[in-house]
Amino acid sequence: MSGFAIETDALTRRFGDQLAVDGIDLRVPRGSFYGFLGENGAGKSTTISMLTGVLAPTSGALRVLELPAGDALKRRIGVVPDGLLLFDRLTGREHLVFVGRLYGLGRAESARRAGELLETMELAGDARKLIADYSFGMRKKLALAAALIHGPELLFLDEPFEGVDAVAKASLTALLSDLVRRGRLTVFLTSHVLEVVERLCDHVGVIHRGRLVAQGSLDGVVGAVPGAASLTDAFVRLVGEGRGATRGLSFLP
């Protein structure tokens, strides 16, 4: 068995003349909490779409849990996309049971797992409420619950903390840390909240204009960037090269 949950070789994706992902070689260790970092438009979501089988690569190769993209892989991964895909006219409990059934779980087992997940996500009191009436933070929690209901080995999280209040963020990060610590789950996370990434992740990769510019253990990546005292320092130095100084506004003193 490979020591990597994700391996890519020269993974590339073009959209017409635009090169969105430019020949990246990812190595995500099994059992790691991997932070995949980059500016808006750097290629993060496109990479996740290829790794999860939503998009076909233009060229290159990928192996996720030692499998190519396909139905067999999709049963072993969980995905929380940046744009939440929830059925607003179902209740929270109905949605989770439905997703569990889609993954092949029996009705009773789907209901049992749904109940446990709702308790864990602190949504049990709102289980019979329509998702349309959920707050944004509640919807994020429900999406995470749906991604976990079938017991995946690998979890993809695309900006899971964006727009989430501090209390919900704290509970989500505590849950994710605990799942990885138990040793049965690998997490592949994208986030612009670098302080959270630094607290959660043990490995990181940095993508800049479609190219992977750094990868390795968090301490190794930070330590390899001259003058960097934190992940934020390292990230700014890696992706901010060539930018001019911040300009003031002519109409403000």
Side-chain angles (χ1 to χ4, degrees):
M1 178 181 291
S2 169
F4 297 108
I6 299 171
E7 297 177 88
T8 73
D9 297 305
L11 188 66
T12 301
R13 175 68 197 200
R14 288 183 176 274
F15 295 96
D17 293 333
Q18 180 187 0
L19 186 57
V21 176
D22 187 4
I24 65 173
D25 299 327
L26 284 173
R27 298 292 184 270
V28 178
R30 286 180 181 268
S32 67
F33 208 129
Y34 189 100
F36 191 51
L37 311 177
E39 301 168 284
N40 290 328
K44 301 186 303 298
S45 294
T46 299
T47 299
I48 285 183
S49 293
M50 288 190 286
L51 295 175
T52 56
V54 175
L55 281 177
T58 303
S59 61
L62 64 88
R63 294 170 297 282
V64 179
L65 301 176
E66 300 186 320
L67 293 170
D71 290 342
L73 172 62
K74 290 177 181 178
R75 292 183 176 274
R76 295 171 61 184
I77 64 174
V79 184
V80 180
D82 188 13
L84 299 179
L85 303 175
L86 302 171
F87 295 101
D88 283 353
R89 304 313 299 173
L90 296 180
T91 67
R93 181 181 297 278
E94 288 170 343
H95 180 81
L96 291 182
V97 171
F98 175 71
V99 173
R101 297 286 284 159
L102 287 179
Y103 278 109
L105 300 176
R107 187 176 300 278
E109 181 62 12
S110 292
R112 186 190 72 79
R113 294 189 187 188
E116 186 174 341
L117 284 162
L118 289 165
E119 288 285 350
T120 299
M121 300 292 177
E122 300 178 343
L123 292 173
D126 300 291
R128 299 183 183 279
K129 183 185 292 186
L130 289 179
I131 296 171
D133 296 325
Y134 277 22
S135 69
F136 191 74
M138 292 166 66
R139 292 169 69 89
K140 285 277 189 175
K141 288 183 177 182
L142 188 68
L144 179 57
L148 291 170
I149 195 166
H150 58 298
E153 298 170 52
L154 173 60
L155 183 63
F156 291 92
L157 303 174
D158 195 358
E159 297 293 349
F161 309 120
E162 188 172 343
V164 176
D165 65 71
V167 174
K169 187 184 299 180
S171 63
L172 287 174
T173 56
L175 172 65
L176 292 170
S177 294
D178 183 61
L179 290 170
V180 173
R181 198 160 42 239
R182 292 180 187 181
R184 293 192 59 194
L185 184 67
T186 302
V187 174
F188 187 90
L189 164 76
T190 76
S191 177
H192 289 116
V193 188
L194 297 187
E195 294 82 1
V196 173
V197 173
E198 191 157 23
R199 188 167 70 249
L200 288 176
C201 296
D202 46 67
H203 286 73
V204 295
V206 179
I207 188 172
H208 179 49
R209 296 176 180 172
R211 294 185 176 182
L212 195 65
V213 296
Q215 179 175 225
S217 69
L218 189 147
D219 289 342
V221 168
V222 173
V225 178
S230 66
L231 179 60
T232 299
D233 287 344
F235 179 78
V236 170
R237 284 167 168 79
L238 286 166
V239 308
E241 183 179 358
R243 288 188 174 180
T246 301
R247 295 182 178 178
L249 295 172
S250 62
F251 55 87
L252 290 177

